Amino acid sequence: MAGSLLPVDEALAILLDDTRAIANTETLDLIEADGRILSEDLPARVTQPPFSASAMDGYAVRAADADAAGALLSVIGTVAAGETPRQTVAPGTAVRIFTGAPLPPGADSVVIQEDCQSVGGDRIKLIEPTKSGSNIRPAGQDFREGLTLLRQGRRLEARALSLAAAGGYGTLPVYCRPKIAVLATGDELVPPGEVPGPGQISASAGIALQSLARANGTQTRDLGIARDNAAAIEAAVASARAWGADVLITIGGASVGDRDLVGPTLQAMGMTLDFWKIAMRPGKPLMVGNLDAMKVLGLPGNPVSAYVCALVFAEPLIRRLARLAPRNRLMRAFAAEAIGPNGPRRHYMRARFTDRTNALVAPCSSQDSSLIATLASADCLIVRPPADGPVKPGDPLSVMMLDPNEP
Ligand SMILES: Nc1nc2c(c(=O)[nH]1)N[C@H]1C(S)=C(S)[C@@H](COP(=O)(O)OP(=O)(O)OC[C@H]3O[C@@H](n4cnc5c(N)ncnc54)[C@H](O)[C@@H]3O)O[C@H]1N2
Ligand code: MOO
């Protein structure tokens, strides 16, 4: 039994239930709006195409003149894209026309140039007959002014941005990106790139969390490393609040050691604190709290525990804040080899595909939660239910993809 440990799904439900999507908005140029969430319905400002246009290079004609092969027509002018037609197509005449050009008055069809033959002077002969409406894009065929092109909540990507541009928009109203501040804690840590002194190591968990947060529609701020004392933690938390962080993610100091000061310090600053022991492995200790409008998520210090907790809790949390649909990282796979029984906690085992076509996975040989190299080389996490029995080769497994390729 997991004892007093909180099941993962229960903890996640409590966390999400208490999280409201970001409401403040800004207006951005189209390219800056890429990847953002539209904050209003977008009505078309124009009709597209605004005029009936030719879909092909050829001749604008009256279909009644061109309903039989061999018809002869006099070419009385030319109209190209961007021009206004100067001639009216009268019976027996045609106007040379290019793709995208407005259809001249009188014409109701375009014959492609491959179906016409020059017969000297300004005269052409039709090789193929045509019908009314052929090779014409009628005005408003794509959309009409006032039509809702994109709905509030739509994630803006290439196609949506193109539609907005066609609809007359150069800037778009979007939701602001949630602000995620990341704070490492620990006397033993030095910033990445600095040479660690005796007893020290490089802080490596924070960059992973920032990367994950950014991949989920947020802006991040690295608050650096707070030493293991209340004043340092207080100063870092104050800078997160001054920046207006929506979420503060802390790393380390979440356990039961004498130096695990993150929770008590935040509490002394007025944070309502829930300290949870989650029935998961890695990543048992998890702190959740609210300091005014700022949500605080305290992750365990071991880099693998921090990252797995971030995938399980922080990603769904920040996607909800950022108004992104939940990401489904789960897929079905099959055991490439026998795996022993699981303990009382849900176990996220780093694993690699031995055969991608048949979705065969094998756990990495060591599951120690400090092994960053194993995490970087893994493809997925096998999700073992609490108290799962031994797994035989070929048994179905649920896996959480580490690098799903959808946005
Ligand atoms: N008596 C107990 N000891 C521990 C327990 C427990 O239940 N009882 N839980 C263990 C587990 S599981 C984990 S996980 C850790 C979590 O503790 P903390 O959140 O307080 O983490 P720290 O002690 O600060 O650090 C653990 C480990 O990770 C390294 N670390 C910390 N921050 C970073 C960072 N930003 N980048 C890279 N590495 C980091 C730190 O040096 C430690 O080695 O507690 C166990 N102990
Ligand atoms: O649960 Mo700790 O978070 O396994 O390393």
Side-chain angles (χ1 to χ4, degrees):
M1 286 301 291
S4 61
L5 301 184
L6 195 57
V8 173
D9 297 333
E10 213 173 293
L12 185 59
I14 299 170
L15 183 65
L16 293 184
D17 201 40
D18 187 41
T19 303
R20 275 180 304 281
I22 195 128
N24 45 335
T25 62
E26 58 189 328
T27 298
L28 296 179
D29 287 346
L30 288 177
I31 189 61
E32 301 305 327
D34 192 13
R36 304 292 285 272
I37 307 293
L38 192 64
S39 62
E40 292 168 22
D41 286 352
L42 211 66
R45 287 178 169 162
V46 294
T47 291
Q48 170 63 21
F51 45 81
S52 290
S54 178
M56 299 296 232
D57 297 324
Y59 295 89
V61 301
R62 299 163 68 98
D65 289 347
D67 57 358
L72 290 170
L73 298 168
S74 309
V75 180
I76 56 168
T78 299
V79 60
E83 292 180 351
T84 303
R86 287 176 301 274
Q87 295 84 17
T88 294
V89 177
T93 69
V95 164
R96 181 81 172 110
I97 195 164
F98 298 99
T99 305
L103 195 69
D108 61 3
S109 175
V110 169
V111 185
I112 62 170
Q113 63 195 48
E114 294 88 329
D115 288 346
C116 300
Q117 205 178 7
S118 176
V119 289
D122 287 331
R123 288 165 74 77
I124 53 163
K125 185 163 96 177
L126 263 56
I127 303 167
E128 292 288 337
T130 187
K131 290 201 297 285
S132 176
S134 294
N135 301 315
I136 289 171
R137 301 173 187 149
Q141 185 188 35
D142 203 347
F143 53 81
R144 294 209 166 267
E145 187 181 340
L147 181 86
T148 300
L149 296 177
L150 298 165
R151 296 264 173 216
Q152 181 254 356
R154 164 84 183 233
R155 184 176 173 278
L156 298 165
E157 38 54 68
R159 293 166 300 119
L161 291 171
S162 180
L163 181 57
Y169 289 86
T171 62
L172 290 173
V174 295
Y175 288 105
C176 294
R177 278 178 301 163
K179 293 179 172 178
I180 314 296
V182 178
L183 173 67
T185 65
D187 286 343
E188 76 281 24
L189 302 176
V190 296
E194 275 185 23
V195 181
Q200 293 187 310
I201 57 164
S202 294
S204 55
I207 187 66
L209 304 187
Q210 284 196 75
S211 165
L212 183 71
R214 287 185 185 205
N216 287 290
T218 67
Q219 48 187 318
T220 63
R221 176 163 288 193
D222 183 3
L223 298 179
I225 300 161
R227 297 297 160 212
D228 286 324
N229 63 71
I233 296 167
E234 265 171 33
V237 173
S239 72
R241 296 174 85 180
W243 180 49
D246 296 294
V247 181
L248 166 64
I249 300 181
T250 65
I251 307 156
S255 184
V256 292
D258 294 345
R259 299 254 178 109
D260 294 336
L261 296 169
V262 179
T265 306
L266 278 156
Q267 230 166 346
M269 293 177 81
M271 184 178 87
T272 55
L273 178 79
D274 284 323
F275 179 74
W276 294 340
K277 282 195 158 52
I278 310 286
M280 69 186 281
R281 189 177 154 212
K284 184 169 60 171
L286 185 75
M287 252 181 2
V288 175
N290 292 290
L291 184 53
D292 300 329
M294 184 171 77
K295 189 163 277 297
V296 181
L297 201 57
L299 304 182
N302 275 317
V304 177
S305 312
Y307 194 69
V308 172
C309 276
L311 287 179
V312 173
F313 295 106
E315 185 177 70
L317 168 76
I318 62 184
R319 285 184 81 86
R320 169 156 303 189
L321 261 177
R323 296 174 179 267
L324 293 169
R327 195 198 293 276
N328 183 14
R329 290 179 176 270
L330 293 177
M331 69 167 250
R332 190 99 159 139
F334 300 93
E337 58 189 52
I339 314 173
N342 189 27
R345 295 189 267 164
R346 184 187 284 180
H347 193 179
Y348 294 88
M349 305 178 82
R350 276 152 285 166
R352 286 186 208 110
F353 285 105
T354 59
D355 175 346
R356 279 189 185 267
T357 315
N358 296 302
L360 296 182
V361 286
C364 300
S365 54
S366 172
Q367 295 293 326
D368 184 299
S369 62
S370 65
L371 302 179
I372 308 158
T374 315
L375 178 63
S377 70
D379 299 313
C380 60
L381 302 170
I382 298 173
V383 185
R384 301 286 310 278
D388 194 23
V391 169
K392 299 186 298 301
D395 279 357
L397 293 169
S398 173
V399 300
M400 189 174 203
M401 298 302 292
L402 287 170
D403 202 10
N405 48 18
E406 83 271 25

PDB file of all heavy atoms in Angstrom, residues 280-285 300-302 305-306 309 345 369-370, ligand 2:
ATOM      1  N   MET A 280       4.487   8.399  -6.375  1.00  0.00           N
ATOM      2  CA  MET A 280       5.180   8.240  -7.657  1.00  0.00           C
ATOM      3  C   MET A 280       6.671   8.103  -7.415  1.00  0.00           C
ATOM      4  O   MET A 280       7.192   8.512  -6.376  1.00  0.00           O
ATOM      5  CB  MET A 280       4.886   9.404  -8.606  1.00  0.00           C
ATOM      6  CG  MET A 280       5.478  10.727  -8.182  1.00  0.00           C
ATOM      7  SD  MET A 280       4.946  12.094  -9.247  1.00  0.00           S
ATOM      8  CE  MET A 280       6.021  11.883 -10.664  1.00  0.00           C
ATOM      9  N   ARG A 281       7.319   7.554  -8.424  1.00  0.00           N
ATOM     10  CA  ARG A 281       8.743   7.328  -8.345  1.00  0.00           C
ATOM     11  C   ARG A 281       9.330   7.530  -9.722  1.00  0.00           C
ATOM     12  O   ARG A 281       8.784   6.944 -10.656  1.00  0.00           O
ATOM     13  CB  ARG A 281       8.951   5.864  -7.905  1.00  0.00           C
ATOM     14  CG  ARG A 281      10.345   5.485  -7.566  1.00  0.00           C
ATOM     15  CD  ARG A 281      10.392   4.052  -7.076  1.00  0.00           C
ATOM     16  NE  ARG A 281      11.741   3.555  -7.355  1.00  0.00           N
ATOM     17  CZ  ARG A 281      11.999   2.307  -7.647  1.00  0.00           C
ATOM     18  NH1 ARG A 281      11.032   1.412  -7.708  1.00  0.00           N
ATOM     19  NH2 ARG A 281      13.228   1.941  -7.885  1.00  0.00           N
ATOM     20  N   PRO A 282      10.297   8.394  -9.945  1.00  0.00           N
ATOM     21  CA  PRO A 282      10.892   9.264  -8.949  1.00  0.00           C
ATOM     22  C   PRO A 282       9.954  10.429  -8.650  1.00  0.00           C
ATOM     23  O   PRO A 282       9.009  10.661  -9.375  1.00  0.00           O
ATOM     24  CB  PRO A 282      12.152   9.744  -9.658  1.00  0.00           C
ATOM     25  CG  PRO A 282      11.800   9.743 -11.100  1.00  0.00           C
ATOM     26  CD  PRO A 282      10.854   8.588 -11.281  1.00  0.00           C
ATOM     27  N   GLY A 283      10.316  11.173  -7.593  1.00  0.00           N
ATOM     28  CA  GLY A 283       9.611  12.432  -7.355  1.00  0.00           C
ATOM     29  C   GLY A 283       8.581  12.401  -6.274  1.00  0.00           C
ATOM     30  O   GLY A 283       7.519  12.985  -6.431  1.00  0.00           O
ATOM     31  N   LYS A 284       8.858  11.774  -5.177  1.00  0.00           N
ATOM     32  CA  LYS A 284       7.868  11.690  -4.100  1.00  0.00           C
ATOM     33  C   LYS A 284       7.490  13.054  -3.506  1.00  0.00           C
ATOM     34  O   LYS A 284       6.316  13.391  -3.442  1.00  0.00           O
ATOM     35  CB  LYS A 284       8.399  10.727  -3.025  1.00  0.00           C
ATOM     36  CG  LYS A 284       7.443  10.460  -1.896  1.00  0.00           C
ATOM     37  CD  LYS A 284       7.938   9.305  -1.031  1.00  0.00           C
ATOM     38  CE  LYS A 284       9.287   9.611  -0.420  1.00  0.00           C
ATOM     39  NZ  LYS A 284       9.719   8.632   0.574  1.00  0.00           N
ATOM     40  N   PRO A 285       8.477  13.888  -3.065  1.00  0.00           N
ATOM     41  CA  PRO A 285       8.059  15.134  -2.402  1.00  0.00           C
ATOM     42  C   PRO A 285       7.646  16.207  -3.403  1.00  0.00           C
ATOM     43  O   PRO A 285       8.356  16.486  -4.359  1.00  0.00           O
ATOM     44  CB  PRO A 285       9.317  15.573  -1.640  1.00  0.00           C
ATOM     45  CG  PRO A 285      10.457  14.857  -2.255  1.00  0.00           C
ATOM     46  CD  PRO A 285       9.942  13.731  -3.090  1.00  0.00           C
ATOM     47  N   PRO A 300      11.224  18.179  -6.302  1.00  0.00           N
ATOM     48  CA  PRO A 300      12.381  17.603  -5.633  1.00  0.00           C
ATOM     49  C   PRO A 300      13.676  17.926  -6.376  1.00  0.00           C
ATOM     50  O   PRO A 300      13.663  18.218  -7.573  1.00  0.00           O
ATOM     51  CB  PRO A 300      12.100  16.102  -5.646  1.00  0.00           C
ATOM     52  CG  PRO A 300      11.019  15.887  -6.636  1.00  0.00           C
ATOM     53  CD  PRO A 300      10.289  17.167  -6.803  1.00  0.00           C
ATOM     54  N   GLY A 301      14.788  17.854  -5.659  1.00  0.00           N
ATOM     55  CA  GLY A 301      16.058  18.316  -6.217  1.00  0.00           C
ATOM     56  C   GLY A 301      16.713  17.389  -7.211  1.00  0.00           C
ATOM     57  O   GLY A 301      17.408  17.851  -8.124  1.00  0.00           O
ATOM     58  N   ASN A 302      16.540  16.099  -7.067  1.00  0.00           N
ATOM     59  CA  ASN A 302      17.196  15.218  -8.039  1.00  0.00           C
ATOM     60  C   ASN A 302      16.701  15.569  -9.439  1.00  0.00           C
ATOM     61  O   ASN A 302      15.491  15.660  -9.662  1.00  0.00           O
ATOM     62  CB  ASN A 302      16.876  13.749  -7.732  1.00  0.00           C
ATOM     63  CG  ASN A 302      17.814  13.177  -6.686  1.00  0.00           C
ATOM     64  OD1 ASN A 302      19.017  13.416  -6.730  1.00  0.00           O
ATOM     65  ND2 ASN A 302      17.267  12.442  -5.723  1.00  0.00           N
ATOM     66  N   SER A 305      14.016  13.434 -10.938  1.00  0.00           N
ATOM     67  CA  SER A 305      12.755  13.578 -10.198  1.00  0.00           C
ATOM     68  C   SER A 305      12.089  14.899 -10.568  1.00  0.00           C
ATOM     69  O   SER A 305      10.872  14.961 -10.783  1.00  0.00           O
ATOM     70  CB  SER A 305      13.015  13.581  -8.693  1.00  0.00           C
ATOM     71  OG  SER A 305      13.861  12.528  -8.345  1.00  0.00           O
ATOM     72  N   ALA A 306      12.902  15.951 -10.621  1.00  0.00           N
ATOM     73  CA  ALA A 306      12.356  17.276 -10.945  1.00  0.00           C
ATOM     74  C   ALA A 306      11.723  17.248 -12.331  1.00  0.00           C
ATOM     75  O   ALA A 306      10.611  17.761 -12.532  1.00  0.00           O
ATOM     76  CB  ALA A 306      13.457  18.326 -10.885  1.00  0.00           C
ATOM     77  N   CYS A 309       8.517  15.028 -12.417  1.00  0.00           N
ATOM     78  CA  CYS A 309       7.444  15.786 -11.750  1.00  0.00           C
ATOM     79  C   CYS A 309       6.953  16.922 -12.648  1.00  0.00           C
ATOM     80  O   CYS A 309       5.758  17.225 -12.671  1.00  0.00           O
ATOM     81  CB  CYS A 309       7.947  16.403 -10.454  1.00  0.00           C
ATOM     82  SG  CYS A 309       7.871  15.265  -9.091  1.00  0.00           S
ATOM     83  N   ARG A 345       4.359   2.725  -5.399  1.00  0.00           N
ATOM     84  CA  ARG A 345       4.209   4.024  -6.065  1.00  0.00           C
ATOM     85  C   ARG A 345       4.137   3.824  -7.582  1.00  0.00           C
ATOM     86  O   ARG A 345       4.741   2.886  -8.100  1.00  0.00           O
ATOM     87  CB  ARG A 345       5.413   4.918  -5.753  1.00  0.00           C
ATOM     88  CG  ARG A 345       5.525   5.287  -4.299  1.00  0.00           C
ATOM     89  CD  ARG A 345       6.594   6.330  -4.087  1.00  0.00           C
ATOM     90  NE  ARG A 345       7.892   5.779  -3.763  1.00  0.00           N
ATOM     91  CZ  ARG A 345       9.032   6.478  -3.831  1.00  0.00           C
ATOM     92  NH1 ARG A 345       9.027   7.726  -4.219  1.00  0.00           N
ATOM     93  NH2 ARG A 345      10.176   5.923  -3.510  1.00  0.00           N
ATOM     94  N   SER A 369      17.503   8.361  -9.591  1.00  0.00           N
ATOM     95  CA  SER A 369      16.922   9.637 -10.024  1.00  0.00           C
ATOM     96  C   SER A 369      17.934  10.776 -10.127  1.00  0.00           C
ATOM     97  O   SER A 369      17.563  11.912 -10.381  1.00  0.00           O
ATOM     98  CB  SER A 369      15.773  10.041  -9.102  1.00  0.00           C
ATOM     99  OG  SER A 369      16.249  10.232  -7.796  1.00  0.00           O
ATOM    100  N   SER A 370      19.225  10.444  -9.975  1.00  0.00           N
ATOM    101  CA  SER A 370      20.238  11.488 -10.206  1.00  0.00           C
ATOM    102  C   SER A 370      20.889  11.339 -11.586  1.00  0.00           C
ATOM    103  O   SER A 370      21.722  12.165 -11.954  1.00  0.00           O
ATOM    104  CB  SER A 370      21.321  11.391  -9.124  1.00  0.00           C
ATOM    105  OG  SER A 370      22.013  10.166  -9.266  1.00  0.00           O
TER     106      SER A 370
HETATM  107  O1  MOO B   2      11.500  10.415  -5.396  1.00  0.00           O
HETATM  108 MO1  MOO B   2      13.129  11.035  -5.370  1.00  0.00          MO
HETATM  109  O2  MOO B   2      12.193  12.267  -6.072  1.00  0.00           O
HETATM  110  O3  MOO B   2      13.005   9.519  -6.246  1.00  0.00           O
HETATM  111  O4  MOO B   2      14.572  10.870  -6.274  1.00  0.00           O
END
